[in-house]
Amino acid sequence: MTAKNWRGYVDGLGLRIAALLSIALFPIGLIAVSITHQFSEAADERAQSNLLALTAQAAAGEEALIRTGFGSTDALAAVIPSIEADTSACNRIFVDFIADNQAFSFAGYVGTDGILKCGSSAVGYDFKGREVYQGMMQHPGPRSDLIFNAPISKTSVIVLSAPVYRDGAFDGYVTVSLPHNETRMKLENQPVDRPVDLITFNNEGEILSAAGGLQGVVGELPAGRPLVGLAGQYRFSFTGQTNDGEERVFAVVPILRDQVYAIGSWPQERLSVAPGLSIASPMFFPIAMWLTSLGVAYFAVHRLVIKPIRRLSRDMRDFAVTRRHEQRSRDTGLPRELREIDQTWHNLAETVIRDEAELEDTIHDKSVLLKEVHHRVKNNLQLIASIVNMKVRKAKTPEARFALKEVQGRVMSIATVHRSLYETTTEGRVRADELMRSTIGKLVSASVANEAHLKSTEEYDPVVLYPDQAVPLSLLATEATTNALKYIGRPEEGMPRIEVRLKTLEPGTARLIVSNTKGTPLLPPEQVSGTGLGTNLIKAFAQQLGGKLEVEDGDVFFSVVVDFPIASFDEAQRDSEIVEVD
């Protein structure tokens, strides 16, 4: 649908009535939406409560092991100062711990020098380059870390650590390793249609384990909410997007307060007991009433208003094209107001047809009269030119013949302008380039004999002027060209040249240039004695154009340059100016 058609559809009466009905039904819609919203919020709260319970239940196994691990590290850290000297006894404690707690893969005591003093295996291993050791050295305290490739077990493990103090001073730490096992985080009896994705993390926001494996686990985390910001709080839930762009509901529960947390998530569309039903039921009544009202309004308005208006509009368009209209019998089923409009339109059409017929008769009479005037003016100009031509043939002196030729050239210029203005199809506007091409070309060819070998150059940009400017421009160009032909000379090198150019400098401004070469005169001195009339005419025509006249007298060329503005079309300002010539 085009922009025009769309705009017409939006502005239509049917759409506006539909909009008014929609506004009238808006309060009912608000009530339905409010009920829907309350129902949805209650359902979401129940679902989120269930999600918190499921998350805590899913993390129960992991929680038990982590609590066992931290309890064991605290207990072992308490007895280390008393048995550290007995390496055999110290090792046996850790070996027995692993034997009794097979969920753990390693346990040991690391001294402040980073060396494993005693443990379930790998005694003497150097941990100084490990992250857990460096963290303990900087901030001794309980820690939980995820090691992807543990140095001893060579698997992904969760490392639980507790500091050892001797006489109140930090003396190393006890650490136990809990292998990462996805099966521990599978919730038994979990509903198939509502799976919980579970992830555990520590208080620093580092991931410890994930039910679906550690690969791609970052994409399952909530976007824009770092895990470290979720730590330190009690149970809560929220809705958001994962880093992969999926809408989900998240629940956060603490496994070990201030140490380890679990975050579970559900797809948001699976929260409701019957997705879509909770929204569709409250909205059914207002939507049904809205559609019914629109249907009734459409048929009523279309039958009583839109159809008659479209028929009237079609009649108006046909009348605008053909100027014909048919008087139909009145439709009594239409409302009184529309019948009155239809009758008024037919009365108006008859009045327009009658008035146009009268105007056409008047215009025809004026056109005939105007053509007669133009014909008489053309004949009078041609008669004047013929009389001057007869005088030229009877003149006895070259000076007289040259002066009469100048008069004849001016008369022919005026005749050419008149023909261009009033005998073309573009009355009111004149192509200045075409006008000058027809005027200047004839003037140059008729003024100089062929043996003079004169080279002329004419360049005209397409410039459209109004008669008030076309007439003085044409006469200005003619006078300037006549003067150029009168005083043209043959240079020392090359042929004598005359150049006439009309150029567009910028929008709204044009320039006329008439140039002739200097040198040995082509005409005898007695034929070039001037009276100053041509110069005065050039100044007068430039003034009438509103232009700026400049004369450039160079070594080779003599040029007349006129810059003038191209007047904008304004009927109220097209009065001719009368310029007196001294």
Side-chain angles (χ1 to χ4, degrees), residues 62-63 66-67 70 143-145 158 160 199-203 206 208-209 231 253-262:
E62 195 79 354
E63 178 182 1
I66 291 176
R67 286 185 179 275
F70 271 113
R143 289 180 58 88
S144 57
D145 299 274
I158 300 174
L160 308 176
I199 299 172
T200 62
F201 59 97
N202 60 18
N203 59 342
E206 298 174 347
L208 299 179
S209 59
V253 297
I255 292 179
L256 189 63
R257 193 64 182 273
D258 299 330
Q259 287 296 325
V260 181
Y261 300 85

Side-chain angles (χ1 to χ4, degrees), residues 1-228:
M1 181 179 291
T2 64
K4 183 178 180 181
N5 293 338
W6 175 254
R7 192 162 51 246
Y9 175 76
V10 172
D11 291 340
L13 181 62
L15 184 62
R16 296 191 179 189
I17 292 179
L20 291 175
L21 287 175
S22 300
I23 294 174
L25 296 174
F26 184 70
I28 299 177
L30 284 181
I31 295 174
V33 171
S34 176
I35 295 174
T36 303
H37 182 67
Q38 294 175 8
F39 180 84
S40 178
E41 284 186 341
D44 287 346
E45 289 177 0
R46 290 193 299 269
Q48 291 175 7
S49 298
N50 293 337
L51 179 58
L52 285 170
L54 286 174
T55 301
Q57 186 179 354
E62 195 79 354
E63 178 182 1
L65 289 174
I66 291 176
R67 286 185 179 275
T68 300
F70 271 113
S72 300
T73 56
D74 289 340
L76 293 171
V79 301
I80 284 298
S82 61
I83 63 171
E84 178 184 1
D86 188 352
T87 304
S88 175
C90 183
N91 288 334
R92 188 166 51 255
I93 289 177
F94 290 109
V95 171
D96 292 342
F97 171 77
I98 295 301
D100 295 337
N101 299 274
Q102 296 184 1
F104 296 91
S105 61
F106 170 79
Y109 163 59
V110 181
T112 55
D113 57 356
I115 303 300
L116 182 63
K117 302 293 185 182
C118 53
S120 61
S121 61
V123 176
Y125 189 86
D126 188 355
F127 284 92
K128 284 196 294 294
R130 297 295 173 175
E131 181 179 357
V132 177
Y133 170 80
Q134 295 174 358
M136 274 293 186
M137 292 301 101
Q138 295 176 2
H139 303 287
R143 289 180 58 88
S144 57
D145 299 274
L146 174 63
I147 308 298
F148 286 101
N149 188 15
I152 297 175
S153 63
K154 305 302 182 182
T155 59
S156 298
V157 296
I158 300 174
V159 178
L160 308 176
S161 307
V164 176
Y165 292 95
R166 183 187 300 276
D167 299 329
F170 177 68
D171 193 40
Y173 63 93
V174 173
T175 180
V176 298
S177 298
L178 179 63
H180 183 268
N181 189 351
E182 300 175 11
T183 59
R184 290 199 308 265
M185 306 177 69
K186 298 297 184 181
L187 178 60
E188 296 182 1
N189 300 323
Q190 180 181 194
V192 177
D193 60 335
R194 298 183 184 179
V196 177
D197 293 337
L198 190 66
I199 299 172
T200 62
F201 59 97
N202 60 18
N203 59 342
E204 296 180 356
E206 298 174 347
I207 297 174
L208 299 179
S209 59
L214 297 174
Q215 185 175 5
V217 69
V218 176
E220 301 174 5
L221 297 178
R225 300 194 69 164
L227 292 180
V228 67

Side-chain angles (χ1 to χ4, degrees), residues 552-565:
E552 299 177 359
D553 193 357
D555 296 335
V556 180
F557 277 95
F558 179 87
S559 302
V560 174
V561 181
V562 180
D563 293 342
F564 62 95

Side-chain angles (χ1 to χ4, degrees), residues 36 57 87-90 162 182 225 278 359 371 420 460 487 494 504 569 582:
T36 303
Q57 186 179 354
T87 304
S88 175
C90 183
E182 300 175 11
R225 300 194 69 164
S278 59
L359 287 175
K371 288 181 180 180
S420 299
Y460 306 109
Y487 298 103
T504 302
F569 185 72
D582 295 335

Side-chain angles (χ1 to χ4, degrees), residues 70 96 149 153 253 323 444 447 465 488 496 524 538 578:
F70 271 113
D96 292 342
N149 188 15
S153 63
V253 297
R323 281 300 185 269
V444 173
S447 300
L465 299 177
I488 192 171
I538 291 175
I578 300 176

Side-chain angles (χ1 to χ4, degrees), residues 294-543:
L294 289 183
V296 173
Y298 173 78
F299 287 109
V301 174
H302 186 271
R303 173 66 180 85
L304 298 177
V305 180
I306 296 179
K307 186 176 179 180
I309 290 178
R310 287 179 177 174
R311 185 176 61 186
L312 181 61
S313 176
R314 184 172 60 252
D315 291 345
M316 289 181 176
R317 287 195 301 269
D318 294 342
F319 176 76
V321 175
T322 63
R323 281 300 185 269
R324 296 173 58 188
H325 76 288
E326 297 179 1
Q327 183 72 38
R328 292 187 300 268
S329 59
R330 292 188 177 184
D331 187 355
T332 57
L334 290 179
R336 175 175 52 82
E337 292 81 1
L338 291 179
R339 293 199 304 270
E340 292 177 353
I341 292 175
D342 186 68
Q343 184 60 42
T344 302
W345 148 245
H346 286 291
N347 294 339
L348 176 62
E350 293 177 357
T351 303
V352 169
I353 292 175
R354 184 174 59 255
D355 292 345
E356 284 185 348
E358 295 177 357
L359 287 175
E360 287 179 358
D361 292 341
T362 304
I363 292 173
H364 177 72
D365 294 342
K366 290 184 177 180
S367 298
V368 172
L369 180 60
L370 186 59
K371 288 181 180 180
E372 181 65 23
V373 172
H374 293 336
H375 183 70
R376 291 180 181 274
V377 170
K378 183 180 67 174
N379 289 346
N380 290 338
L381 291 174
Q382 186 64 42
L383 178 60
I384 295 172
S386 300
I387 294 174
V388 174
N389 190 41
M390 293 173 60
K391 292 294 183 180
V392 170
R393 289 198 299 267
K394 293 183 179 182
K396 297 181 179 180
T397 62
E399 293 83 355
R401 284 196 298 272
F402 190 80
L404 290 173
K405 283 185 177 181
E406 287 185 343
V407 174
Q408 185 184 27
R410 291 189 176 100
V411 174
M412 293 304 297
S413 298
I414 295 174
T416 302
V417 172
H418 178 269
R419 183 171 59 254
S420 299
L421 290 178
Y422 301 111
E423 294 186 0
T424 63
T425 59
T426 57
E427 292 185 6
R429 298 191 183 191
V430 180
R431 282 286 298 271
D433 51 324
E434 298 177 356
L435 178 62
M436 292 184 60
R437 187 176 289 108
S438 61
T439 304
I440 302 302
K442 294 179 181 178
L443 179 62
V444 173
S445 60
S447 300
V448 180
N450 294 333
E451 58 269 14
H453 301 293
L454 174 65
K455 181 180 180 181
S456 63
T457 302
E458 298 180 45
E459 296 180 2
Y460 306 109
D461 290 346
V463 177
V464 179
L465 299 177
Y466 300 107
D468 294 344
Q469 285 191 306
V471 173
L473 176 64
S474 176
L475 298 177
L476 170 62
T478 301
E479 291 298 333
T481 304
T482 302
N483 279 359
L485 292 171
K486 182 188 297 185
Y487 298 103
I488 192 171
R490 186 182 301 276
E492 295 181 358
E493 297 181 0
M495 300 170 57
R497 299 195 304 276
I498 181 171
E499 299 177 356
V500 182
R501 292 183 173 88
L502 179 64
K503 295 187 174 297
T504 302
L505 301 181
E506 58 185 18
T509 306
R511 170 176 290 177
L512 173 66
I513 305 173
V514 180
S515 304
N516 63 276
T517 55
K518 299 171 61 177
T520 306
L522 297 184
L523 297 178
E526 61 273 9
Q527 293 186 13
V528 298
S529 57
T531 62
L533 177 60
T535 302
N536 290 336
L537 288 175
I538 291 175
K539 292 179 181 180
F541 292 140
Q543 179 181 356

